[in-house]
Amino acid sequence: MKRFVKILKIILIAVVIFISCFTFIYRNRIKLYINIGKKYVYLQKKLHSDIHIKDINAMNTIYAENIVYKNTNNVPLTLDIYKSKKKLSKGSPVILYVHGGSWVYGDKSIPSALSPLLDVFREEGFTIISVEYQLMKPGVGFDKLVSDIKDAVRWVYKNQYEYNFNTNEIGILGISSGAHLSLLAAYTGDNEFKDDSNLEVYPSKVKYVIDILGPTDLNSLNFSKATWDINNILKSIPNIKYVVSKYSPINYVHENAPKTLMVYSKKDTLVSYKNSTELYNKCVENGVFVKLVTLENSSHDFSNLSKQDILLLSKEVLKFIVQNSPL
């Protein structure tokens, strides 16, 4: 009996030591999970009150605004840096935000629907960078836009020491046409889509991509529902069928593609839900880590985004980034 008690004490001491070591080693990650969980619970309470999506505060406290990251053909393009609120020893992970707008509209201001999510990560040491890209017009096509996003990533690598960026931890989050560009930028290699000679020597690799309502196969889009501007531009492009195929992200999936989170709505009439399932299946076939989140009620412009969809979107984006956190 004494021998049994002695062995049991040894086992208990070993378990305590193991738990203590595990907690110490992963203390930052555990703390991140706890803090993210608290913020999610807070968001739940806010949404279960009478708050509406338009009432959520937008991102503020820009650390550096309108930094020119490239200037080709006398067209300066800028980015905004929302600095992390906590200093990390290995440098700050970076999330690049790419706006939507049918490739012809929009700006780099971060929408209020995403602000609470991104602010959570700033508090945990992440830097948020919102990227401007040249909008489409006759003579400026998809290749230029994708190059702009990849050059923004290259700029992060170039300036990692000045801003204390952790370039092993770069993610891209895009909405609509911005998600389309983000997927193309994430799935293509360092030597593809180069535009600025001052940046071309730097990598463009990212760890993950978050695709919210992005067209993955341009052949599936019903451009009759699109704006006059984009239709007019597309009509001016020779060999449009070749161009549409060339710039469809689904054609660039490969086994080393970054981890991918996709968020799509069954009620989206502009980018059909089929875009999500086909890309999901292509990622699975190639062994790429992928997760598909389905919204039930939201239209493409988020005009009727329900509280349930907001919470689902928030939870899955938070969880995905935390799982890919270096902490």
Side-chain angles (χ1 to χ4, degrees), residues 296-310:
E296 296 294 337
N297 301 303
S298 175
S299 59
H300 188 75
D301 63 358
F302 287 147
S303 58
N304 59 342
L305 189 64
S306 67
K307 292 180 180 180
Q308 291 76 16
D309 280 347
I310 295 173

Side-chain angles (χ1 to χ4, degrees), residues 89-189:
S89 59
K90 294 182 179 180
S92 177
V94 176
I95 301 174
L96 271 75
Y97 167 71
V98 185
H99 70 82
S102 301
W103 303 283
V104 295
Y105 307 114
D107 59 55
K108 65 183 186 302
S109 58
I110 295 177
S112 58
L114 286 178
S115 295
L117 302 181
L118 298 180
D119 256 338
V120 165
F121 289 102
R122 288 179 66 207
E123 293 174 6
E124 299 304 321
F126 286 65
T127 297
I128 311 301
I129 298 179
S130 182
V131 180
E132 177 185 41
Y133 54 89
Q134 191 167 348
L135 301 177
M136 283 183 75
K137 59 184 178 181
V140 177
F142 289 118
D143 57 334
K144 179 66 172 69
L145 278 63
V146 180
S147 298
D148 290 345
I149 305 307
K150 289 183 77 71
D151 278 347
V153 177
R154 294 178 179 118
W155 181 91
V156 172
Y157 279 92
K158 180 181 179 181
N159 292 276
Q160 60 179 306
Y161 300 112
E162 180 177 352
Y163 293 98
N164 193 36
F165 297 142
N166 184 340
T167 53
N168 293 319
E169 306 294 340
I170 302 174
I172 309 182
L173 185 157
I175 296 179
S176 188
S177 56
H180 162 262
L181 299 176
S182 298
L183 287 168
L184 283 173
Y187 288 172
T188 52

